[in-house]
Amino acid sequence: MASRRKTPGRTDRIPAISPDRLTRGWSGPNGTKIRMPADGQAERWLELVETSGAAHEDALLTAVRDGTLGWLLPVGLADGPHAMRRRFLEVISARTEQAALHAMAGLSAPLVVQDRGGHLVAALHAVSLPPAVVANAADQGVPLETMIAALTAVVKIRAVAVDESSRRQGIGSALLTRCLHLYFQLGFGAAYGQFRTGSGLETFYAHQGFDVLDEGAVFSLRDRLGLPFRIQADPGERIFTRVRGG
């Protein structure tokens, strides 16, 4: 089912991330800095994300502007995955659309790469399981407790975008490494994403240690995590996956 894979150094051997590290960031290739967006960088982050083909979402821009995008991540980094899940449950238990959006925004990570001159040259956006996957599971009678468990177990890499002037410097690889390190430390068990068939990105993702599935193949969370979910690639796209510890 998988086409290619090359396993680099394991992300679980990297020192633990602190909440402060998300703000201060990490050193990246060629003097760059990888971190969460700072004040005033929301629009540029979203602009870069959209260059990857990801659809514009007003709720995303609102959340990154007001600082609520990723608000649950520092909770998990400071107090552990159980504390993060408990806070997530407290918010989502209100059973309102606003509460659900706030909880989901809390699990969503925006990352940027800033060059020596202070310009943002790359962006990544990772989210929990998309609503469509959860809704499909609900239609099939999957218990609410199981769906909530899945929301804090699987992360989707929604977008990775590097400005054309900054490509071929290892920036995209560095972004993915930090993203996986973050979510696996937070107790997530698997990461996945999609790319257009024929784009040539299968080589890139395989070199990052992902399994690249054949066109039309299904990513089964039951096989990987014991969860009753199946993720089907959109038409004309392929799925790439990575399991913690793999």
Side-chain angles (χ1 to χ4, degrees), residues 4 26 33 109 116 119 130 150 157 159 161 197:
R4 306 185 204 178
W26 301 265
K33 182 72 73 174
R116 295 175 186 270
H119 305 102
I157 299 169
T197 301

Side-chain angles (χ1 to χ4, degrees), residues 1-4 211-215 217-220 223-224 238:
M1 186 165 70
S3 60
R4 306 185 204 178
D211 288 326
V212 180
L213 307 189
D214 295 330
E215 186 173 2
V218 172
F219 179 34
S220 171
D223 296 343
R224 303 297 185 93
R238 295 175 67 178

Side-chain angles (χ1 to χ4, degrees), residues 137-230:
D139 291 342
Q140 295 179 24
V142 174
L144 177 61
E145 295 79 7
T146 302
M147 289 191 289
I148 291 175
L151 289 171
T152 55
V154 183
V155 59
K156 178 179 181 180
I157 299 169
R158 179 175 177 266
V160 180
V162 180
D163 188 86
E164 189 172 354
S165 63
S166 299
R167 292 175 185 170
R168 298 179 180 83
Q169 298 178 31
I171 288 175
S173 299
L175 268 174
L176 281 169
T177 295
R178 293 307 177 188
C179 177
L180 291 174
H181 181 197
L182 171 64
Y183 278 97
F184 289 168
Q185 181 176 322
L186 291 169
F188 282 68
Y192 82 98
Q194 300 184 53
F195 61 88
R196 291 189 302 278
T197 301
S199 64
L201 287 173
E202 60 271 13
T203 301
F204 170 74
Y205 284 110
H207 275 278
Q208 309 316 309
F210 288 90
D211 288 326
V212 180
L213 307 189
D214 295 330
E215 186 173 2
V218 172
F219 179 34
S220 171
L221 301 185
R222 185 181 298 279
D223 296 343
R224 303 297 185 93
L225 302 176
L227 295 167
F229 292 83
R230 289 162 50 88

Side-chain angles (χ1 to χ4, degrees), residues 26-34 113-118 169 171:
W26 301 265
S27 296
N30 297 327
T32 58
K33 182 72 73 174
I34 302 170
V113 178
Q114 183 170 303
D115 68 12
R116 295 175 186 270
Q169 298 178 31
I171 288 175

Side-chain angles (χ1 to χ4, degrees), residues 3-245:
S3 60
R4 306 185 204 178
R5 184 178 178 183
K6 178 182 177 182
T7 304
R10 288 173 54 171
T11 57
D12 56 2
R13 292 177 180 170
I14 301 175
I17 303 171
S18 66
D20 181 57
R21 175 63 73 181
L22 278 182
T23 303
R24 290 188 295 110
W26 301 265
S27 296
N30 297 327
T32 58
K33 182 72 73 174
I34 302 170
R35 53 171 171 73
M36 297 272 273
D39 291 343
Q41 296 181 331
E43 283 81 0
R44 175 56 177 161
W45 171 80
L46 188 60
E47 177 185 312
L48 283 164
V49 165
E50 290 178 352
T51 65
S52 73
H56 175 83
E57 295 182 18
D58 290 335
L60 279 181
L61 183 56
T62 299
V64 76
R65 276 176 174 165
D66 63 21
T68 60
L69 201 63
W71 70 269
L72 273 169
L73 307 182
V75 174
L77 295 176
D79 302 321
H82 291 297
M84 182 189 71
R85 293 189 191 103
R86 183 168 60 250
R87 188 72 184 99
F88 177 81
L89 285 171
E90 290 172 356
V91 174
I92 209 168
S93 64
R95 295 178 180 270
T96 66
E97 182 178 357
Q98 183 177 6
L101 288 173
H102 185 54
M104 295 299 288
L107 294 175
S108 179
L111 293 176
V112 295
V113 178
Q114 183 170 303
D115 68 12
R116 295 175 186 270
H119 305 102
L120 297 192
V121 297
L124 179 147
H125 185 214
V127 298
S128 185
L129 276 180
V133 175
V134 178
N136 183 58
D139 291 342
Q140 295 179 24
V142 174
L144 177 61
E145 295 79 7
T146 302
M147 289 191 289
I148 291 175
L151 289 171
T152 55
V154 183
V155 59
K156 178 179 181 180
I157 299 169
R158 179 175 177 266
V160 180
V162 180
D163 188 86
E164 189 172 354
S165 63
S166 299
R167 292 175 185 170
R168 298 179 180 83
Q169 298 178 31
I171 288 175
S173 299
L175 268 174
L176 281 169
T177 295
R178 293 307 177 188
C179 177
L180 291 174
H181 181 197
L182 171 64
Y183 278 97
F184 289 168
Q185 181 176 322
L186 291 169
F188 282 68
Y192 82 98
Q194 300 184 53
F195 61 88
R196 291 189 302 278
T197 301
S199 64
L201 287 173
E202 60 271 13
T203 301
F204 170 74
Y205 284 110
H207 275 278
Q208 309 316 309
F210 288 90
D211 288 326
V212 180
L213 307 189
D214 295 330
E215 186 173 2
V218 172
F219 179 34
S220 171
L221 301 185
R222 185 181 298 279
D223 296 343
R224 303 297 185 93
L225 302 176
L227 295 167
F229 292 83
R230 289 162 50 88
I231 298 171
Q232 178 78 50
D234 295 331
E237 297 200 341
R238 295 175 67 178
I239 292 176
F240 58 93
T241 72
R242 179 83 175 267
V243 177
R244 186 176 61 195

